[in-house]
Amino acid sequence: MADDSLLGMERILISACLIGQPVRYDGAAKTGADPALLARWRAEGRLVPVCPEVAVGFPTPRPPAEIAGRGEEADGRDVLDGLARVVEATGTDVTAQYLRAAQETVALATARGCRHAVLTDGSPSCGSGFIYDGSFSGATRPGMGVVTAALRAAGVRVWAQGEMAQLEAALAEG
């Protein structure tokens, strides 16, 4: 069903937790990103919400997961290349599910025409500027999650929740 009001309107893939859905590993949402901008984008029909983990069957809540392997450098690109893995705090290897989440999220972005995504930084799926370091100590390092790496490889520009004003400026420039 086509909506004529969306002709020429850039759709934005967005982490479902950022718009109030309680889908994070701890069963919470991650609100606090620019509420006025989100409300306007929602009213304009731009937002395409997704939680990659929930979309592939992870429960909420669930054990925290982090990217491990290749020393301190490992991130989502390494997981895509088979050089690192995603493990839960319980020790369970969930790499295959994260790879499937990345593949399905890229397919969703492509199907819905999303050239931009606003994703939750820090997440082993959605982190775009930083991720947790794999030690489950709360320490972070620069890097990206598996979904972010796959989206970027597919040509989707990924923004952290703190970069929504920059995305708005980019959209205004065309």
Side-chain angles (χ1 to χ4, degrees):
M1 150 171 114
D3 181 346
D4 291 340
S5 68
L6 289 175
L7 292 176
M9 182 78 53
E10 285 273 357
R11 291 204 175 172
I12 303 164
L13 190 74
I14 189 162
S15 291
C17 62
L18 295 176
I19 59 168
Q21 295 181 18
V23 293
R24 289 175 39 105
Y25 76 94
D26 59 3
K30 187 171 181 94
T31 55
D34 190 328
L37 189 53
L38 284 174
R40 193 180 53 145
W41 285 347
R42 181 180 287 162
E44 292 171 349
R46 289 181 182 258
L47 299 180
V48 178
V50 64
C51 175
E53 293 98 334
V54 170
V56 296
F58 280 104
T60 302
R62 57 190 167 274
E66 296 185 8
I67 296 173
R70 255 185 35 89
E72 297 177 9
E73 311 287 314
D75 75 358
R77 292 171 292 210
D78 298 304
V79 175
L80 292 177
D81 291 341
L83 302 172
R85 56 197 177 97
V86 184
V87 294
E88 293 180 335
T90 62
T92 303
D93 186 323
V94 289
T95 304
Q97 294 95 317
Y98 275 75
L99 290 170
R100 198 176 86 201
Q103 180 181 39
E104 290 184 13
T105 304
V106 168
L108 174 64
T110 301
R112 299 294 302 271
C114 300
R115 296 184 313 147
H116 297 275
V118 176
L119 303 180
T120 307
D121 227 354
S123 161
S125 282
C126 298
S128 61
F130 74 91
I131 56 173
Y132 289 90
D133 73 356
S135 69
F136 296 96
S137 67
T140 62
R141 65 169 179 251
M144 69 181 82
V146 182
V147 169
T148 294
L151 285 167
R152 285 181 173 160
V156 176
R157 191 158 179 200
V158 180
W159 307 77
Q161 68 268 23
E163 299 175 319
M164 289 176 22
Q166 293 95 315
L167 169 54
E168 176 69 358
L171 292 171
E173 291 173 5

